[in-house]
Structures are given as C-alpha cells and as structure tokens.
Amino acid sequence: MLKRATIDELKEALTWPDNAAEFRLWFGEKVPYGSSAEAIWEQIKAEERGTFSFYRGGTLIGFAQAYQKVENGIHIACLIVNSAVRGQGLGRKFVEALLENAWSQEETQFITLNVYPENEPARRLYNSLGFDEVGENQGMVAMGLESQ
C-alpha cells in the first residue's frame, strides 16, 4: 500500500542504511550522513513534494519521493527499500506503485530518476520496468520512462 509518508516513517527508514556509503545511494551528496530526520524532512521539502511510504503486511517496505519537477514530468527521488526485505521483489512492487500513482495524474507524460552507476541492482530494476538510461546528471545515471 502506497501512502503519504510521515516524518516518523522517515525516522524508521533512516535506520536502514548501515553506513555513509549506503546513505549516499539514497540521498546523494546533498544530504549529510547523520543529519536529523527533521533536517532531512525540511531539506527534501517533504511537505511540499509527493513523499511516499510503502507498506506490505504492516511492515514499512520503502520510502521515496515522486513529484512534478518539470511540466508534465514526475521525478522519483530519495528511494530506499527496507534492508530486511531486499531481494524479495518488494522493491519492484514499491516502484510499480509509484509509477501507477504517477501515471494516474493526467498531465504526466514522462517519469525520470537518477541512480548511481555502481547501484547495479537498482539500475537492473529500473531497466526491467522500461526506463532508459538517457544521460548523466552530476555523476549519476539519468533514466527516463515515456508514457505509452
């Protein structure tokens, strides 16, 4: 189940990365490792942007943002999956729910996201969902998905 995220869900998700390198894969270079949930919530503009949590069977599976960054486009950012359930296909279900929500908005014509080149599992997932690698964005692989 996809729903609007709360700061308490961000606090729980902040326990998932084991170290600064894992945290970087989630938030990139702009959010310092060890920042408080309140500071991160404000920095990512969680109240203004589409900020989502995903549950399966009462367990928090994921946290992400999906918001209009440019006209007719939804950008997925800050996506993390609970480390306890990785490799079980639930990350795919989470991304599919984000995509379904994005496509349900009439004006959406494309969806974008950025992923670090070394994050091979995420790149494989996004490619399998139809995303194309369309370039580079500040050291990350820029990916896009056009409406059908």
Side-chain angles (χ1 to χ4, degrees), residues 27-125:
F27 277 117
E29 307 289 339
K30 295 180 182 175
V31 178
Y33 180 62
S35 296
S36 71
E38 293 78 11
I40 293 170
W41 189 259
E42 188 173 314
Q43 187 171 352
I44 66 172
K45 301 177 181 171
E47 293 294 333
E48 301 166 30
R49 295 177 173 168
T51 305
F52 297 95
S53 58
F54 184 73
Y55 282 84
R56 185 57 60 102
T59 300
L60 180 60
I61 300 300
F63 180 94
Q65 292 190 294
Y67 59 93
Q68 185 174 352
K69 190 172 183 176
V70 296
E71 187 174 350
N72 301 321
I74 297 291
H75 184 71
I76 296 174
C78 304
L79 191 148
I80 189 169
V81 172
N82 185 332
S83 53
V85 300
R86 289 184 192 147
Q88 299 177 27
L90 295 173
R92 171 179 291 278
K93 299 277 187 216
F94 179 30
V95 175
E96 288 172 345
L98 288 169
L99 295 176
E100 183 179 327
N101 181 275
W103 292 129
S104 73
Q105 299 173 43
E106 260 183 53
E107 67 279 356
T108 303
Q109 295 177 9
F110 61 93
I111 300 170
T112 61
L113 57 84
N114 298 313
V115 62
Y116 281 101
E118 66 269 22
N119 193 345
E120 285 295 329
R123 289 174 68 188
R124 281 193 303 274
L125 170 62

